[in-house]
């Protein structure tokens, strides 16, 4: 019969209801289940057939050993008939039947012949009754059923006897072992001397080191084939020998860290999908998959071990084995943190990098100074080497969450890490003209109208080449980089603004102000007004230190020097505050703040010289010259370099080199308003004092400024000084290392002249008396204290 069923059309399928489709799916699933059920039934029947065939296997006759028990033997003799009461024919018949197997398997009560075949209608009970019985003189042997063999004759079952160990024998062995153990315990352990114990420990340690080295070298030589040895090496992290446990675990941690750094690929390994697992692949591909899967799993277990070590140390937990003490756990935790820091920097592209970040960032706020510094350095190095920005974004997110979660109660160094971010440009809000797509290539109509056929052909090839070049330049990666940097900086500014709003008295404020000073040129224009108001309110509140207020000033001018040029804001209040702050600096603790002052002056005067009046520039020049007298040499050099820039940038600065006043009024050095202190009526007498400074570089700069800061001629500076900025000179001549720059030349000590005689110091008369006194021989006389009294009484 021909199948007349047609394939449904697409329109018909569209009209098919969802219920009908569900019913079809259910029918299909039901058919699959019934087929699986049928298959299971067939398998069950096959197993039953195998068991039935085994039960029908003819068993050989067994020769039973009769127990020589006197009482049973007597009873048997009483019940048994004596042989002399039986005929010879009956005895012979019984002996003949005993030689045949059918004599025992046959139903003796039936009258059927021996070789009659079994009938199909026999009942199960009759079958069971006809199975020969076994006498329980020996324990029944268990059989292990193997897979059957099939040949032409049918299925041949296979079985093997299961070895049975007697219980009595086991008990005897156990008792023997217990006795041996008791004897062993009774023997006293040999007492080792400290030297022998140390030698034994060295030997054990050497064996473990050789084992670690062998496993590590095998893995590094052939990582694909020996990936399973990573598990053996990782198992040594659980070393139980208390004599060498701490050192072995540390060595294994470091060895595994170096191995993972070497054999980890330069890409992230993703898990295979079900479809990929089901497909057949080449042997090489399968081998690579197994290697990657094993590497990721072992790397995961290794990181979990490191995390557990740190947690045990933080929670002061001891394991049940008590192999390692609490003091030793601190050393283990430090090594674990070092390994995590190394992996954080070395494998930013590999799996579980975000998990490492989540472990490391909270440890930056750890009370232990060593662990926190390790984490700081690791995060700094990660920021410095992260070119694209994925890892930096992950770290910044975790730090922001940590600061907020701890309610801003973290160490300032946690936020100072943001200063090492490699962010120089971000995506700013663009105008409609910038957002509109630009035409790069000609349209088809323009080509048809303006170009010939050959020109169109050449133009097409040229455009194709340009597209390939754009792909080669990786313009897409630049866009990704900008997006990542923008997102990272948004999170940084969000953290900064939260602290400015909610925790103004927090110790985190200096770090926030320092960060704003660095990244202020990248802030969106919308926040400028509010941010400047907040900074000014912080300065006027009076609760900030000199360094913090200087950071506020620097942040404000960074904002105004970037996109803030378009804003109509007068920053005179920030100039006044800086002018006021200068005299609070000195050669003591505040000497380091001069570096921030130099940065502020560069932004306030060099980059905004058109908005600065002459009176303001003169006032700052005079006050800076005064400040150079009572700071360290590196600060004096930086200040004099800034004064040089002032004199070259602003006209009429040489007024201060003359003694004559240039207007009404007198100079008011104590006034904190630079516009009204009459700085034009004074002179830079400080330069003459600085010209006699003990530092040679300060002398050179002072002489250069007295000459009018010329760019050529005898009074000009050398290129080494003239081409370096004030901040660079301040850092170059820093005295943090307790060294003098330039180094002082070593002077050979002069030999002191020795004088044998003192002729050069005394006159001739005195010299004669001395010589006479020295030549006289000393005569010892007895002392008579009453002689003078006797002479006076006689007279």
């Amino acid at each position: 019969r021909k199948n007349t069923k047609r394939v449904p059309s697409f329109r018909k399928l569209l009209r098919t209801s969802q219920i009908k489709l569900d019913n079809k799916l259910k029918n299909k699933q039901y058919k699959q289940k019934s087929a699986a059920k049928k298959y299971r039934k067939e398998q069950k029947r096959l197993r039953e057939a195998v068991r039935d065939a085994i039960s029908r296997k003819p068993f050989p006759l067994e020769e039973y050993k009769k127990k020589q028990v006197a009482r049973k033997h007597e009873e048997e003799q009483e019940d048994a008939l004596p042989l002399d009461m039986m005929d010879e024919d009956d005895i012979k018949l019984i002996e003949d039947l005993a030689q045949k197997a059918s004599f025992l398997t046959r139903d003796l009560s039936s009258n059927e012949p021996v070789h009659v075949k079994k009938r199909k209608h026999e009942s199960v009970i009759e079958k069971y009754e006809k199975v020969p019985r076994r006498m329980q003189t020996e324990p029944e042997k268990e059989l292990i059923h193997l897979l059957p063999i099939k040949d032409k004759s049918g299925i041949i079952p296979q079985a093997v006897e299961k070895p049975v160990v007697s219980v009595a024998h086991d008990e005897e062995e156990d008792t023997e072992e217990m006795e041996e153990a008791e004897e062993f315990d009774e023997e006293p352990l040999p007492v080792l001397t400290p030297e022998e114990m140390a030698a034994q420990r060295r030997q054990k340690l050497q064996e473990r080191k050789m084992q670690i080295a062998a496993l590590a070298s095998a893995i590094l030589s052939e990582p694909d084939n020996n990936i399973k040895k990573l598990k053996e090496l990782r198992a040594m992290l659980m070393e139980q020998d208390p004599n060498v446990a701490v050192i072995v675990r540390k060595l294994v941690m470091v060895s595994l860290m170096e191995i993972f750094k070497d054999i980890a690929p330069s890409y992230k390994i993703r898990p295979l999908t079900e479809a990929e697992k089901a497909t057949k692949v080449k042997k090489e591909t399968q081998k690579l998959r197994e290697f990657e899967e094993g590497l990721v799993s072992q790397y995961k277990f290794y990181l979990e071990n490191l995390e557990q070590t740190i947690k045990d140390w933080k929670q002061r937990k001891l394991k049940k084995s008590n192999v390692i003490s609490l003091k030793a756990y601190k050393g283990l935790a430090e090594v674990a943190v070092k390994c995590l820091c190394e992996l954080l920097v070395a494998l930013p592209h590999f799996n579980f990098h975000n998990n490492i970040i989540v472990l490391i960032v909270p440890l930056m706020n750890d009370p232990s100074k060593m662990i926190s510094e390790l984490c700081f350095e690791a995060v700094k190095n990660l920021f410095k080497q992260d070119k694209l920005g994925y890892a930096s974004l992950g770290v910044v997110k975790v730090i922001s969450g940590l600061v907020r979660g701890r309610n801003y109660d973290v160490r300032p160094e946690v936020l100072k890490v943001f200063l090492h971010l490699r962010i120089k440009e971000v995506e700013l809000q663009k105008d409609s003209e910038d957002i509109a797509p630009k035409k790069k290539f000609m349209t088809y109509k323009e080509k048809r109208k303006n170009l010939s056929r050959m020109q169109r052909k050449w133009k097409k090839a040229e455009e194709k080449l340009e597209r390939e070049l754009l792909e080669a330049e990786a313009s897409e990666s630049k866009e990704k980089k900008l997006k990542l940097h923008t997102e990272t900086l948004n999170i940084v500014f969000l953290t900064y603004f939260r602290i400015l709003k909610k925790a103004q008295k927090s110790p985190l404020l200096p770090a926030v102000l320092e960060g704003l000073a660095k990244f202020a040129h990248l802030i969106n224009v919308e926040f400028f007004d509010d941010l400047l108001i907040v900074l000014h309110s912080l300065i006027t509140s009076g609760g900030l230190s000199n360094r913090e207020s200087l950071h506020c000033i620097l942040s404000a001018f960074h904002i105004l020097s970037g996109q803030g040029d378009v804003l109509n804001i007068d920053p005179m209040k920030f100039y006044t505050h800086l002018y006021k702050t200068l005299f609070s600096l000195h050669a003591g603790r505040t000497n380091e703040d001069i570096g921030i002052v130099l940065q502020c002056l560069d932004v306030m005067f060099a980059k905004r010289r058109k908005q600065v009046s002459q009176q303001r520039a003169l006032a700052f020049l005079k006050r800076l010259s005064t400040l150079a007298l009572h700071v360290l040499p590196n600060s004096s050099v930086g200040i004099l370099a800034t004064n040089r820039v002032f004199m070259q940038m602003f006209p009429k600065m040489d007024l201060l080199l003359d003694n004559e006043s240039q207007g009404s009024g007198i100079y008011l050095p104590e006034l904190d308003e630079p516009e009204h202190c009459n700085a034009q009526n004074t002179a830079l007498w400080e330069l003459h004092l600085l010209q006699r400074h003990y530092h040679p570089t300060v002398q050179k700069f002072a002489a250069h400024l007295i000459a009018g800061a010329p760019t050529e001629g005898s009074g000009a500076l050398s290129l080494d000084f003239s081409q370096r900025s004030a901040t660079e000179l301040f850092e170059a001549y820093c005295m943090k290392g307790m060294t003098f720059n330039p180094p002082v030349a070593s002077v050979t000590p002069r030999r002191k002249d020795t004088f044998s005689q003192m002729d050069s110091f005394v006159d001739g008369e005195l010299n004669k008396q001395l010589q006479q006194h020295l030549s006289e021989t000393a005569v010892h006389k007895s002392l008579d204290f009453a002689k003078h009294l006797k002479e006076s009484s006689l007279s």
Side-chain angles (χ1 to χ4, degrees):
R1 185 180 174 185
K2 190 176 180 181
N3 188 9
T4 58
K5 203 169 185 181
R6 292 183 180 179
V7 178
S9 63
F10 182 69
R11 291 181 179 276
K12 192 173 181 181
L13 285 172
L14 287 176
R15 289 198 298 270
T16 307
S17 65
Q18 187 63 33
I19 298 171
K20 194 171 182 180
L21 292 173
D22 292 341
N23 290 337
K24 283 185 178 181
L25 181 63
K26 288 178 182 177
N27 291 337
K28 188 177 179 181
Q29 291 175 351
Y30 176 73
K31 286 180 182 178
Q32 290 175 352
K33 287 180 181 178
S34 60
K37 193 173 181 182
K38 189 177 179 182
Y39 175 74
R40 288 197 297 271
K41 283 184 177 180
E42 289 177 356
Q43 293 294 321
K44 189 175 180 182
R45 286 174 190 165
L46 181 61
R47 289 195 294 271
E48 287 177 355
V50 171
R51 283 198 294 271
D52 195 21
I54 291 168
S55 65
R56 290 177 185 175
K57 183 179 177 181
F59 294 96
L61 293 172
E62 296 180 359
E63 295 179 2
Y64 297 105
K65 296 179 180 179
K66 295 181 179 180
K67 295 183 179 181
Q68 302 295 328
V69 183
R71 187 173 54 80
K72 288 186 179 181
H73 185 63
E74 290 175 0
E75 290 176 1
E76 287 175 2
Q77 285 181 353
E78 289 175 0
D79 296 338
L81 292 172
L83 292 177
D84 55 358
M85 294 179 65
M86 297 178 68
D87 297 336
E88 292 181 0
D89 296 336
D90 295 335
I91 294 170
K92 189 176 182 182
L93 178 62
I94 289 170
E95 289 177 354
D96 294 338
L97 290 172
Q99 301 298 324
K100 297 179 181 179
S102 60
F103 176 71
L104 294 175
T105 58
R106 181 186 168 200
D107 187 4
L108 299 176
S109 62
S110 65
N111 298 322
E112 294 180 359
V114 177
H115 302 290
V116 175
K117 292 184 180 179
K118 293 181 180 179
R119 295 174 187 174
K120 292 183 180 179
H121 63 271
E122 286 179 346
S123 64
V124 179
I125 300 172
E126 290 176 355
K127 282 183 182 180
Y128 178 76
E129 290 295 335
K130 288 178 182 179
V131 174
R133 270 59 166 175
R134 289 186 182 184
M135 295 180 70
Q136 294 294 332
T137 55
E138 290 183 6
E140 188 176 354
K141 296 181 179 179
E142 291 186 36
L143 295 175
I144 300 173
H145 300 293
L146 306 178
L147 291 173
I149 300 172
K150 189 175 182 182
D151 61 356
K152 293 179 180 179
S153 61
I155 295 172
I156 303 171
Q158 299 289 319
V160 175
E161 291 183 0
K162 186 177 181 180
V164 180
V165 182
S166 61
V167 180
H169 184 64
D170 289 346
E171 290 179 356
E172 289 177 3
E173 287 183 354
D174 292 341
T175 53
E176 288 177 2
E177 288 177 0
M178 291 291 289
E179 288 174 1
E180 289 177 1
E182 288 175 0
E183 291 175 2
F184 182 74
D185 291 340
E186 288 173 1
E187 292 178 4
L189 292 171
V191 179
L192 298 177
T193 61
E195 291 81 7
E196 292 174 348
M197 291 174 69
Q200 188 179 7
R201 182 177 177 276
R202 281 196 297 271
Q203 184 181 357
K204 287 181 181 178
L205 194 58
Q206 189 64 25
E207 290 174 1
R208 301 294 193 281
K209 285 181 180 179
M210 293 300 294
Q211 187 179 356
I212 294 169
L215 289 170
S217 59
I219 295 166
L220 292 175
S221 59
E222 292 182 2
D224 299 343
N225 299 328
N226 297 324
I227 194 66
K228 292 183 179 178
K229 291 190 177 181
L230 271 175
K231 187 176 181 181
E232 297 179 30
L233 188 56
R234 192 174 54 80
M236 295 182 72
L237 283 172
M238 301 294 118
E239 177 65 44
Q240 297 299 320
D241 191 344
N243 293 326
V244 295
V246 178
I247 297 177
V248 169
R249 292 188 186 188
K250 288 180 181 179
L251 291 173
V252 173
M253 283 181 189
V254 177
S255 303
L256 282 170
M257 180 262 295
E258 293 294 340
I259 288 170
F260 283 122
K261 281 169 63 178
D262 284 342
I263 68 175
S266 59
Y267 54 88
K268 189 175 182 179
I269 299 171
R270 62 173 181 82
L272 297 174
T273 60
E274 294 296 330
E276 288 173 341
K277 289 179 181 178
T279 54
K280 291 184 178 180
V281 293
K282 295 180 181 178
K283 287 184 179 179
E284 292 81 4
T285 310
Q286 184 63 30
K287 189 176 180 182
L288 179 62
R289 284 182 177 179
E290 290 174 358
F291 166 72
E292 289 178 346
E293 187 178 354
L295 177 63
V296 170
S297 64
Q298 293 302 321
Y299 187 56
K300 178 187 174 184
F301 292 140
Y302 172 63
L303 293 179
E304 287 175 351
N305 286 334
L306 296 182
E307 181 185 9
Q308 192 59 46
T309 304
I310 297 169
K311 280 184 178 178
D312 291 342
W313 170 66
K314 296 287 284 183
Q315 297 171 0
R316 302 294 189 270
K317 277 188 178 180
L318 271 178
K319 298 294 182 182
K320 292 180 181 179
S321 59
N322 289 332
V323 175
I324 298 175
S325 62
L326 281 174
K327 290 182 180 179
Y329 256 113
K330 185 180 180 182
L332 278 176
E334 288 176 356
V335 175
V337 171
K338 283 181 184 177
C339 294
L340 285 171
C341 292
E342 286 284 336
L343 293 173
L344 178 75
V345 178
L347 302 175
H349 58 276
F350 199 54
N351 300 49
F352 310 113
H353 190 256
N354 289 334
N355 303 69
I356 299 175
I357 290 172
V358 172
L359 278 174
I360 290 295
V361 169
L363 293 174
M364 293 166 65
N365 197 39
D366 195 81
S368 175
K369 188 177 180 181
M370 181 179 178
I371 288 179
S372 60
E373 286 180 355
L374 281 172
C375 298
F376 286 139
E377 290 301 320
V379 174
K380 286 177 188 176
N381 294 333
L382 181 66
F383 283 163
K384 288 177 183 177
Q385 74 174 24
D386 186 23
K387 295 180 180 178
L388 193 57
Y390 281 112
S392 300
L393 178 60
V395 173
V396 168
K397 282 182 178 178
V398 179
I399 290 176
S400 177
L402 176 72
V403 172
R404 191 178 181 185
R406 298 278 179 90
N407 197 17
Y408 313 105
D409 185 18
V410 296
R411 299 172 68 176
E413 288 82 0
V414 176
L415 287 183
K416 285 184 180 178
V417 173
F418 288 158
L419 300 175
H420 299 273
L421 285 167
R422 291 181 58 177
I423 299 177
K424 295 182 180 178
E425 54 179 346
V426 293
E427 284 184 337
L428 301 173
Q429 286 188 348
K430 298 178 180 178
D431 300 332
S432 58
E433 296 178 0
D434 298 332
I435 295 171
K438 298 178 181 178
K439 286 187 178 181
K440 291 186 178 179
F441 305 110
M442 295 176 69
T443 61
Y444 178 74
K445 288 184 178 179
E446 288 174 348
K447 289 178 186 176
R448 190 75 182 267
K449 185 178 179 181
N450 300 325
L451 303 176
S452 64
R453 186 176 178 183
M454 185 58 68
Q455 286 174 334
R456 288 200 299 271
K457 191 175 180 181
W458 280 101
K459 191 71 177 174
K460 187 177 179 181
E462 186 180 346
E463 288 177 358
K464 185 180 178 182
L465 181 61
E466 285 180 5
R467 287 192 186 95
E468 290 176 355
L469 287 173
L470 283 173
E471 290 176 2
E473 287 176 1
S475 58
E476 187 180 356
S477 65
K478 288 182 181 178
E479 293 175 2
K480 283 184 181 178
K481 183 178 178 180
L482 278 177
K483 286 181 180 178
L484 289 169
H485 284 183
T486 306
E487 188 178 354
T488 304
L489 206 59
N490 287 340
I491 297 171
V492 171
F493 284 140
L494 183 63
T495 308
Y496 285 164
F497 294 159
R498 277 179 185 157
I499 295 170
L500 285 175
K501 185 178 179 181
K502 298 181 181 179
Q504 291 188 356
K505 294 183 179 179
S506 169
L508 300 176
L509 192 61
V512 171
L513 297 173
E514 196 172 350
L516 284 174
K518 181 174 182 180
F519 300 116
H521 62 287
L522 301 172
I523 302 175
N524 201 339
V525 184
E526 297 175 355
F527 303 110
F528 280 5
D529 289 334
D530 297 333
L531 193 56
L532 287 173
I533 292 169
V534 171
L535 292 174
H536 184 253
S537 65
L538 285 172
I539 291 172
T540 54
S541 65
L544 300 182
S545 64
N546 289 332
R547 190 176 185 84
E548 292 168 3
S549 59
L550 289 173
H551 277 307
C552 284
I553 296 167
L554 187 58
S555 304
F557 278 97
H558 271 305
I559 291 169
L560 295 172
S561 63
Q563 303 173 68
D565 287 339
V566 296
L567 300 176
N568 189 16
I569 297 174
D570 184 19
M572 183 60 201
K573 48 195 173 185
F574 294 107
Y575 281 99
T576 304
H577 185 73
L578 179 63
Y579 186 78
K580 179 182 176 181
T581 310
L582 288 177
F583 274 170
S584 62
L585 305 177
H586 50 78
R589 292 174 59 187
T590 59
N591 185 72
E592 293 300 318
D593 298 340
I594 301 292
I596 307 171
V597 171
L598 297 177
Q599 294 179 36
C600 292
L601 293 170
D602 181 50
V603 180
M604 295 164 71
F605 289 92
K607 295 181 180 178
R608 295 174 60 88
R609 57 180 175 271
K610 293 181 180 179
Q611 288 91 353
V612 178
S613 65
Q614 182 182 351
Q615 291 292 331
R616 196 181 304 172
L618 287 169
F620 270 93
L621 181 61
K622 173 63 179 175
R623 184 158 283 201
L624 286 171
S625 299
T626 308
L627 179 63
L629 289 172
H630 51 272
V631 290
L632 292 180
N634 61 329
S635 301
S636 299
V637 171
I639 289 170
L640 293 177
T642 304
N643 288 352
R644 175 176 174 270
V645 174
F646 277 23
M647 295 181 75
Q648 291 178 349
M649 190 178 297
F650 296 98
K652 299 182 181 179
M653 288 291 110
D654 53 353
L655 292 174
L656 300 180
L657 298 177
D658 297 333
N659 291 330
E660 298 178 1
S661 61
Q662 297 293 327
S664 60
I666 58 171
Y667 174 58
L668 302 172
E670 72 281 356
L671 191 67
D672 291 333
E673 291 291 335
E675 297 283 350
H676 309 292
C677 65
N678 300 324
Q680 73 276 6
N681 295 327
T682 185
L684 295 178
W685 52 266
E686 296 89 355
L687 295 177
H688 292 280
L689 292 176
L690 291 170
Q691 202 172 8
R692 294 193 292 272
H693 199 276
Y694 67 88
H695 199 283
T697 309
V698 177
Q699 295 175 13
K700 290 178 184 177
F701 268 97
H704 173 69
L705 293 176
I706 288 173
T711 55
E712 296 178 352
S714 59
L717 288 174
S718 61
L719 291 176
D720 186 31
F721 296 130
S722 60
Q723 291 183 352
R724 296 164 80 178
S725 66
T727 310
E728 291 175 357
L729 289 167
F730 171 77
E731 292 175 357
Y733 291 95
C734 182
M735 302 178 70
K736 277 185 179 179
M738 300 302 291
T739 55
F740 193 81
N741 189 11
V744 180
S746 59
V747 180
T748 55
R750 293 180 179 178
R751 292 181 63 188
K752 293 182 179 179
D753 296 332
T754 56
F755 299 96
S756 58
Q757 295 180 352
M758 301 174 67
D759 297 344
S760 58
F761 297 103
V762 294
D763 57 357
E765 183 90 20
L766 182 61
N767 192 16
K768 287 180 183 178
Q769 292 180 6
L770 288 171
Q771 291 295 334
Q772 185 180 358
H773 179 72
L774 290 171
S775 61
E776 288 180 359
T777 57
V779 179
H780 295 284
K781 299 179 181 179
S782 60
L783 297 176
D784 189 2
F785 295 102
K787 182 179 179 182
H788 177 67
L789 294 173
K790 290 176 182 177
E791 289 177 356
S792 61
S793 62
L794 290 174
S795 62

